[in-house]
Amino acid sequence: MNTLIRHIKHYIKYGFLGPFLQYISNEKNLNKLKKNHNIKRIFVMQTPQHGNLGDHGIAYAQKDFLLKNINDFEYIEIPFEEVFKKARTIKKMITSEDLIVIHGGGNIGDMYLYEELTRRFIVSYFKNVRIISFPQTISFSNTLLGKIALLGSKRVYRKNKNFFIVARESKSYEIMKKEFGEEKVLMTPDIVLSLNKRGENDRKGIVTCLRNDVEQKIDNSFKNDLLKHLKEKYQNVKVSDTRVDYRIFISQRNEELQIIWETFRNAEVVLTDRLHGMIFCAITGTPCIVFNNFNHKIEYSYKNWLSHLDYIKFTQSDNIDYIIDLIESLKCKGNLNLTEGINSGNFSTLIRLINNLAYSEKIKEIS
């Protein structure tokens, strides 16, 4: 019943009231969006201002990736809370030469329905503009509500011939092709894996970065026992997280990310059940033990992109002695080869798609 009520509230707020805001929003302070006719623009929409550093890592990496690959475009970021308010103004000035990028992540589904409804609005409202949804995980529940939500998304995404979507692991890729059409789906790693944040470090102690929310899969009793054993065995154990309990605005993003990257970079081993806990370890060259979460995003991201890294270990074991042995084996690695990471060629299909949409008059097939 609570889930049903939550879904109804989200449909009312983001499915009906949200789009209505475009007609009553104040256009004050939107002058910076006015068209400079000599410059094409990328509107990056639905970026975070909440406290999830994984999402902020995505926003940081998206900007870095886009400016490196199409640097003759002006970059304009529209946070999630401003999408409906600014949509009407943007629509008045946007042209077919501009691009819209929708923030990547793991929210195509019914768990974070407010995100999914906002994405649907963008795709349907800006139907004459070329749109790319950056690397995402799809996860609709097998409930009646989940099935209804999937049907709604399928209808919107299939209808827009200018919309393309990127999966960040193979399970999502297969689901998206089936539901949204093969012609509009491609696969790359999570965009944060395009970053390299390795550097000087002073590795001391163990860092934990464990969930305490609906996406958690590991048992609370196991988590508590594990923390107890870690603190008994190791002198320096730091409890950390990639989620903070305060809002992070665009101007604060870089500083907050540098803090968490520095924490990871100076750990001997990180234990995490967060996707971006694992990814932050990969990009900082930090030994890591990864536990699964409630869906497929961690397991398949590891299998597809990170299983070759001998400093990242994925496990579904709840045997604490085994986990301690893993920690000891990773501690022995010391400072790692700073060039060891993922293959940048894994993003080549996304680069081709961006350049195709940015510079071609006619959209070519994805390949």
Side-chain angles (χ1 to χ4, degrees), residues 111-126:
M111 174 167 283
Y112 304 105
L113 189 59
Y114 49 93
E115 297 276 6
E116 180 62 11
L117 291 171
T118 303
R119 181 169 29 254
R120 282 190 210 166
F121 168 75
I122 295 168
V123 174
S124 59
Y125 190 69
F126 297 99

Side-chain angles (χ1 to χ4, degrees), residues 216-324:
Q216 176 183 321
K217 184 176 183 180
I218 59 175
D219 186 79
N220 277 326
S221 61
F222 166 71
K223 183 167 69 172
N224 293 334
D225 286 346
L226 178 60
L227 287 170
K228 177 184 174 184
H229 279 79
L230 291 175
K231 290 176 180 178
E232 288 174 352
K233 184 170 179 62
Y234 301 106
Q235 186 175 3
N236 186 354
V237 177
K238 180 174 182 177
V239 176
S240 180
D241 201 356
T242 57
R243 186 171 188 89
V244 295
D245 59 0
Y246 50 85
R247 287 167 65 80
I248 300 172
F249 297 99
I250 296 172
S251 61
Q252 302 164 319
R253 179 181 295 149
N254 290 4
E255 180 181 357
E256 292 289 340
L257 287 170
Q258 295 305 324
I259 291 170
I260 191 69
W261 289 336
E262 186 75 9
T263 297
F264 279 32
R265 195 160 41 232
N266 288 306
E268 290 180 274
V269 180
V270 172
L271 286 79
T272 187
D273 60 350
R274 287 192 176 274
L275 175 64
H276 285 97
M278 174 177 72
I279 288 174
F280 287 174
C281 286
I283 67 173
T284 58
T286 300
C288 178
I289 296 170
V290 191
F291 303 98
N292 212 358
N293 76 320
F294 86 115
N295 66 13
H296 52 271
K297 67 180 181 181
I298 291 179
E299 181 178 3
Y300 279 82
S301 292
Y302 172 80
K303 287 178 177 178
N304 295 150
W305 314 114
L306 300 176
S307 59
H308 68 287
L309 299 179
D310 64 358
Y311 59 91
I312 308 285
K313 301 295 183 185
F314 175 82
T315 181
Q316 302 200 57
S317 174
D318 59 359
N319 184 307
I320 290 178
D321 289 336
Y322 173 73
I323 302 302
I324 297 295

Side-chain angles (χ1 to χ4, degrees), residues 99-227:
L99 292 179
I100 290 176
V101 167
I102 301 177
H103 184 74
N107 52 43
I108 295 182
D110 55 310
M111 174 167 283
Y112 304 105
L113 189 59
Y114 49 93
E115 297 276 6
E116 180 62 11
L117 291 171
T118 303
R119 181 169 29 254
R120 282 190 210 166
F121 168 75
I122 295 168
V123 174
S124 59
Y125 190 69
F126 297 99
K127 57 181 178 292
N128 295 319
V129 183
R130 297 172 184 187
I131 304 173
I132 309 172
S133 180
F134 257 44
Q136 274 277 355
T137 290
I138 184 171
S139 182
F140 285 91
S141 68
N142 199 33
T143 64
L144 177 60
L145 294 172
K147 291 174 181 177
I148 292 171
L150 175 57
L151 285 173
S153 295
K154 182 191 295 190
R155 177 180 57 82
V156 171
Y157 299 160
R158 279 185 173 268
K159 189 175 181 180
N160 188 336
K161 303 303 182 184
N162 291 316
F163 174 60
F164 299 87
I165 190 165
V166 186
R168 63 181 178 182
E169 26 72 22
S170 58
K171 187 162 186 178
S172 288
Y173 181 55
E174 294 304 323
I175 296 171
M176 288 179 186
K177 285 194 298 180
K178 176 186 174 185
E179 302 296 346
F180 306 144
E182 291 191 24
E183 72 283 357
K184 57 173 65 257
V185 182
L186 65 153
M187 183 176 80
T188 73
D190 184 284
I191 199 64
V192 179
L193 284 169
S194 66
L195 299 173
N196 181 349
K197 293 300 174 181
R198 295 163 178 80
E200 295 296 321
N201 58 68
D202 181 19
R203 298 196 184 279
K204 293 179 181 176
I206 310 299
V207 170
T208 66
C209 178
L210 299 171
R211 308 191 77 103
N212 186 27
D213 60 18
V214 292
E215 292 194 42
Q216 176 183 321
K217 184 176 183 180
I218 59 175
D219 186 79
N220 277 326
S221 61
F222 166 71
K223 183 167 69 172
N224 293 334
D225 286 346
L226 178 60
L227 287 170

